[in-house]
Amino acid sequence: MNPDPRQLAIHDFTYPLSANRIAPEPLPDRAASRLLVSRSGVISDRTFRDLPGELPAGALLIFNDTRVVRARLLARRPTGGQVELFCLEPVAPHRSLELALQQTGHCTWRCLVGNGRRWKEGPVSLEFETTEGIKATLHALRQAQEAGTALIDFRWEPAELPFAEVLRAAGHLPLPPYIDRPDTAADAVRYQTVYAAAEGAVAAPTAGLHFTPEILTELQARGFATGHVTLHVGAGTFQPVKAERMADHPMHTEPIIVTAALLRQLLAHRPRPVIAVGTTSLRTLETLYWLGAGLLLNPDATGELLVTQWQPYEQAEAAASISPEAALTALLNYLEARGTDTLEASTRLLIAPGYRIRLVQGLITNFHQPESTLLLLVAALLGPDWRAVYEHALAHDYRFLSYGDSSLLLP
């Protein structure tokens, strides 16, 4: 019987990670990273350039094409002190990320505030120059404090600038908190995947950072199919699990965007293997199953399409007879009935031991932090073998976390 992930103790999913094992910088060559291959529990050491020769024949690789926005703003109080504003999600006038980035003149975002103790009242401001050389000013006013975050009202001149351009020109890349240095011009290139397209993430889908145009070309030449989903990675991906049991850890919500063409591609590809490039791609694919299953279990449901944290565990018995094909078909029917080719939904899905993966047969991913939800996902995929993978990586000097080395996990 599968364990109930709500009863899992996060302290059981740890390993000794010292600071000198965390990669502070990317390698000069993306594809020079090392690649740990775990195939049915047998581990071998490769380089990332070897990836095309290690993939299962006929595999479909699914990439997350989100692009990291420059979400850190360093503003000044009238007295000169610096305040850091880390934009997490839009609140008004649009909650839709795409619309919020196109908003002109003013908007409200939920933010993390750094060095804000002396910011008692009044606005902070930031002067900057746009990519076209126009001088501009951003003003930020704190409206309310909510559970460790603040609602920040932004206004800027020239007012006709979209907020996306404000962030591009005035913001900094939100490097992970364990990379303790300012972002650089090199990070502007290397903390994005070469296939990044849809702006909206505040953290990179780091499994994709190793891919180069040459590797993508080789995959195509070898006959591997590829597809793209969009999950805009939120700052919650770095949120430590502080609760003793997972039942008390709230998962963050992240928006996903998937086309009907991708759904059809997944259907046509079955039962051949699907390899998720990164934990965000895997969570998106598994979210698709539960969105479709939810439509079949509750055909009269209305409102936003959302997969909640515990939905797969609470509906496991009810969904036992729903195949991946049926779930994907239900989503296609849903889109067709609404006359759209694009699925927009949200996910809070927690994948942990006890979860049965439906749509994915393998994962390309970096090495994740101890006691993190990302490590729980790897443990759900590999079972107890996750420990051997991480012990091997530690013993053989692999580089860890966002700018670190990679792994191909084939359970």
Side-chain angles (χ1 to χ4, degrees):
M1 183 176 178
N2 287 335
D4 181 349
R6 283 168 287 203
Q7 303 309 316
L8 291 175
I10 194 62
H11 304 306
D12 293 335
F13 296 87
T14 191
Y15 65 92
L17 179 63
S18 57
N20 65 347
R21 305 306 300 272
I22 300 172
E25 309 275 352
L27 295 178
D29 177 3
R30 290 177 186 264
S33 295
R34 299 176 69 196
L35 177 72
L36 182 154
V37 179
S38 175
R39 183 179 279 104
S40 301
V42 178
I43 295 173
S44 57
D45 301 303
R46 300 285 186 266
T47 64
F48 200 80
R49 277 196 183 80
D50 299 323
L51 175 72
E54 297 292 333
L55 292 167
L60 166 62
L61 277 71
I62 301 295
F63 298 85
N64 180 7
D65 67 3
T66 187
R67 174 176 285 276
V68 183
V69 295
R70 302 172 73 90
R72 288 177 60 241
L73 295 162
L74 304 179
R76 293 281 176 187
R77 303 195 311 273
T79 55
Q82 181 174 280
V83 174
E84 178 179 330
L85 303 172
F86 187 168
C87 299
L88 298 177
E89 61 181 5
V91 175
H94 307 290
R95 289 188 176 272
S96 161
L97 190 60
E98 182 178 350
L99 293 175
L101 289 173
Q102 294 309 310
Q103 175 67 21
T104 57
H106 67 93
C107 60
T108 302
W109 281 61
R110 185 180 309 281
C111 298
L112 293 173
V113 178
N115 197 30
R117 289 185 178 179
R118 296 186 179 180
W119 182 22
K120 302 301 183 185
E121 58 184 20
V124 295
S125 60
L126 168 61
E127 294 184 354
F128 63 99
E129 197 170 283
T130 71
T131 52
E132 295 180 349
I134 300 170
K135 293 189 181 300
T137 305
L138 174 70
H139 305 282
L141 185 66
R142 181 159 46 189
Q143 292 185 334
Q145 199 80 17
E146 290 186 3
T149 65
L151 297 184
I152 303 295
D153 181 65
F154 292 108
R155 296 183 181 272
W156 58 92
E157 304 95 23
E160 60 268 22
L161 292 174
F163 194 58
E165 175 61 20
V166 173
L167 292 179
R168 270 193 292 269
H172 293 261
L173 274 178
L175 293 178
Y178 45 74
I179 297 181
D180 188 19
R181 60 172 176 78
D183 63 312
T184 65
D187 292 313
V189 175
R190 292 302 306 279
Y191 199 61
Q192 303 279 14
T193 63
V194 297
Y195 48 82
E199 281 197 320
V202 298
T206 55
L209 297 181
H210 308 283
F211 283 85
T212 63
E214 293 76 18
I215 288 178
L216 295 174
T217 298
E218 184 180 351
L219 290 171
Q220 185 178 21
R222 286 176 176 252
F224 292 108
T226 60
H228 293 85
V229 296
T230 303
L231 181 146
H232 291 309
V233 190
T237 195
F238 302 122
Q239 181 181 345
V241 179
K242 297 178 180 178
E244 290 290 324
R245 298 179 313 139
M246 290 310 299
D248 300 319
H249 174 75
M251 283 292 285
H252 52 289
T253 302
E254 291 169 314
I256 67 169
I257 303 169
V258 176
T259 63
L262 187 279
L263 297 174
R264 287 191 286 268
Q265 184 180 19
L266 290 169
L267 270 172
H269 191 79
R270 293 190 61 83
R272 289 168 292 170
V274 172
I275 307 297
V277 179
T279 57
T280 57
S281 295
L282 192 150
R283 286 182 67 236
T284 302
L285 290 168
E286 293 300 302
T287 292
L288 294 179
Y289 172 83
W290 287 105
L291 289 172
L295 291 172
L296 292 170
L297 293 172
N298 302 288
D300 298 326
T302 59
E304 178 191 12
L305 287 181
L306 166 70
V307 174
T308 61
Q309 180 168 341
W310 303 115
Q311 179 181 338
Y313 311 99
E314 295 166 349
Q315 294 184 346
E317 187 174 343
S321 62
I322 298 176
S323 67
E325 290 84 354
L328 293 171
T329 301
L331 283 176
L332 278 170
N333 292 339
Y334 173 87
L335 294 180
E336 184 177 350
R338 282 154 182 76
T340 179
D341 285 331
T342 304
L343 172 71
E344 296 191 32
S346 300
T347 186
R348 290 203 296 267
L349 175 61
L350 171 68
I351 297 177
Y355 181 90
R356 180 167 68 85
I357 292 174
R358 266 75 172 184
L359 289 175
V360 174
Q361 286 70 46
L363 173 66
I364 297 166
T365 191
N366 289 16
F367 297 95
H368 304 294
Q369 287 182 291
E371 300 186 2
S372 65
T373 58
L374 303 181
L375 189 58
L376 286 178
L377 183 152
V378 171
L381 177 73
L382 293 183
D385 285 348
W386 78 265
R387 239 177 234 293
V389 165
Y390 275 70
E391 287 171 356
H392 183 97
L394 287 168
H396 291 79
D397 295 326
Y398 278 75
R399 300 160 71 246
F400 280 65
L401 306 188
S402 295
Y403 275 147
D405 293 317
S406 186
S407 64
L408 170 62
L409 308 178
L410 301 169

